[in-house]
Amino acid sequence: MTKVLVSGGCGYIGSHTIVDLIDNGFEVVSVDNYLNSDKNVLDGIEAITGKRVNNYDVDLTDLEGTRDIFRENEDIAGIIHFAALKSVNESVSKPLEYFKNNLNSLLNLLQCVKDYDVKHFIFSSSCSVYGNADELPVTETTPWAEAESPYARTKQMGENILKDFSHANPSTNIVVLRYFNPAGAHESALIGEAPIVVASNLVPVITETAIGKRDEMKVFGDDYETRDGSCIRDYIHVMDLANAHTKSMEYAVESRNASNYEIFNLGIGEGVTVLEAIHAFEKVTGKQLNYKIAGRREGDVIAIYANNQNAAQKLGWQPSRNIEDIMKTAWSWELRRTAVHS
Ligand code: NAD
Ligand code: WQD
């Protein structure tokens, strides 16, 4: 069995990816210091897969603590690096925390890749590296615009660090995955998005409004030049996203990569407006959402969606779920999580 270290394995995308890796025959260890997660997620993973994953409660900005994981697990073949702070808003007021956490974690893991001869490294990047892109859909070669936030800059810097590392370390395969808007939950509703910080992303805001945790929600702008005036995004179901990591690891392990530094956009390749997303939620749940049109949110890009052909052709990855599947699973997860906590 190929052993994979998942950093941020108790977080949203990391936990779903662990499930997909186990389902596909990988052995997994996790490192997560619960900065934005809860150890209960390990129970959810076990209930789905029947396997108890060992999580190291280590801060990746601590190099010695990070090294210990590799000393105990000399057979780690690959790393999937999710661990990062990810709130765009928070990063604007706390840029140093974002640079320290996200960059030092990456640098420490890369030091271990070098020292312990790890062959494969997959990095969580983001469509936010493109900023306000001039062309749609965006391809992996669409030039980056100025980063819209310190968070986005940590992703641009992370990619640049990895590119330089790949030149100096030709025997390590680096795969950079640029996620568009991840949403939804595992179909079992045993795991899902459960951040410690207050959610500000569209789908959790919708489900929290529908269940009554919020009185109402705002649609940030209906006067954009789009088909209904609201912003367009590419919402990708978290289980489709999870599977792209498994496929990327298989791609690297089987040496199917043409270069040791490759980049893939991960989106469904279609744009959905905010109002369409709300209507999809209302359709699949039969609930009326209490929303009102508000002013534009500062820093929002008008429209962004992916060209995902590179991932389709090279990784053999195809997302199979749409916005309705996202809303169905996000809602089941909201119902279950609220029932457990009440
Ligand atoms: P998340 O916050 O749910 O998960 C990240 C996990 O990393 C958390 O469990 C947190 O406790 C852990 N972590 C953070 N810093 C750590 C440290 N120093 N040491 C150990 N553990 C640490 O976030 P997510 O949504 O699962 O995102 C995963 C990755 O994907 C991140 O790198 C994020 O930037 C990226 N990404 C997320 C989105 C999104 O919308 N969710 C979109 C694009 C990219
Ligand atoms: C989506 C759309 C909002 C909340 C962020 C990060 C990006 C990436 C993905 C990490 C926008 C609208 C939202 C609400 C609304 N993350 N909206 N009312 O901004 O596309 O991207 O997550 O890498 O870097 O910036 O996602 O879910 O916040 O917003 O109308 O209460 O929903 O204006 O058009 P965003 P989002």
Side-chain angles (χ1 to χ4, degrees):
M1 270 217 239
T2 307
K3 192 189 268 192
V4 175
L5 175 68
V6 175
S7 86
C10 298
Y12 174 43
I13 308 170
S15 57
H16 290 78
T17 299
I18 289 179
V19 167
D20 197 74
L21 286 167
I22 292 174
D23 283 351
N24 285 285
F26 285 90
E27 185 183 349
V28 177
V29 285
S30 165
V31 49
D32 196 309
N33 65 349
Y34 309 116
L35 202 55
N36 192 33
S37 52
D38 190 289
K39 45 173 76 79
N40 291 342
V41 75
L42 298 166
D43 300 334
I45 294 172
E46 187 174 6
I48 297 169
T49 64
K51 296 238 163 70
R52 186 76 194 174
V53 170
N54 182 20
N55 180 61
Y56 290 88
D57 178 0
V58 168
D59 183 341
L60 290 161
T61 65
D62 164 12
L63 180 58
E64 276 318 299
T66 305
R67 275 190 197 283
D68 285 341
I69 302 169
F70 290 85
R71 289 191 191 107
E72 275 184 40
N73 297 273
E74 286 176 356
D75 51 346
I76 289 172
I79 299 172
I80 306 182
H81 179 41
F82 293 102
L85 291 170
K86 64 160 181 177
S87 163
V88 171
N89 278 346
E90 190 183 55
S91 78
V92 174
S93 55
K94 298 179 178 169
L96 286 185
E97 284 185 23
Y98 273 68
F99 289 123
K100 274 189 209 156
N101 191 67
N102 294 3
L103 298 180
N104 286 339
S105 295
L106 175 63
L107 292 172
N108 285 346
L109 274 179
L110 288 179
Q111 189 63 52
C112 292
V113 164
K114 209 165 138 48
D115 295 348
Y116 298 92
D117 196 25
V118 178
K119 293 291 177 218
H120 317 290
F121 191 91
I122 297 176
F123 178 63
S124 294
S125 189
S126 162
C127 64
S128 61
V129 298
Y130 296 112
N132 242 319
D134 285 338
E135 55 188 37
L136 284 176
V138 291
T139 70
E140 290 80 355
T141 53
T142 298
W144 291 350
E146 181 69 17
E148 295 279 335
S149 66
Y151 164 76
R153 209 179 295 282
T154 70
K155 294 299 177 189
Q156 291 185 340
M157 292 167 88
E159 288 199 21
N160 284 333
I161 289 167
L162 285 162
K163 194 188 236 174
D164 289 342
F165 183 90
S166 74
H167 288 146
N169 298 276
S171 66
T172 304
N173 295 314
I174 312 270
V175 180
V176 169
L177 301 179
R178 293 181 183 154
Y179 317 151
F180 280 64
N181 287 60
H186 190 265
E187 280 79 5
S188 66
L190 290 164
I191 56 172
E193 191 165 7
I196 304 287
V197 297
V198 177
S200 61
N201 290 121
L202 180 65
V203 176
V205 168
I206 288 176
T207 60
E208 288 179 8
T209 306
I211 209 152
K213 291 179 184 167
R214 299 167 190 251
D215 294 337
E216 64 170 22
M217 66 164 288
K218 293 176 179 156
V219 171
F220 297 133
D222 71 344
D223 56 353
Y224 288 102
E225 281 180 29
T226 61
R227 50 186 176 266
D228 61 18
S230 62
C231 290
I232 291 178
R233 298 287 184 275
D234 184 331
Y235 298 93
I236 171 81
H237 194 286
V238 67
M239 287 311 297
D240 281 331
L241 188 61
N243 183 247
H245 294 78
T246 305
K247 289 221 154 56
S248 298
M249 191 54 81
E250 289 168 348
Y251 178 73
V253 168
E254 291 162 14
S255 303
R256 284 186 280 124
N257 47 333
S259 138
N260 76 323
Y261 182 79
E262 295 201 17
I263 304 171
F264 298 98
N265 278 346
L266 299 177
I268 64 165
E270 277 171 37
V272 171
T273 71
V274 176
L275 291 168
E276 287 166 353
I278 288 175
H279 296 144
F281 176 84
E282 293 182 327
K283 181 178 164 207
V284 300
T285 63
K287 289 185 83 73
Q288 283 284 113
L289 252 197
N290 188 19
Y291 68 90
K292 72 168 188 209
I293 307 296
R296 294 179 176 195
R297 184 173 71 174
E298 205 186 319
D300 260 340
V301 302
I302 302 167
I304 188 160
Y305 54 97
N307 175 319
N308 61 13
Q309 285 311 298
N310 199 32
Q313 283 157 14
K314 294 191 184 149
L315 303 177
W317 174 76
Q318 206 70 59
S320 63
R321 298 161 181 91
N322 63 17
I323 190 69
E324 293 190 2
D325 301 310
I326 285 175
M327 293 304 180
K328 253 185 246 164
T329 55
W331 182 235
S332 301
W333 165 244
E334 184 69 71
L335 287 171
R336 184 178 171 277
R337 151 169 132 99
T338 306
V340 167
H341 289 106
S342 60

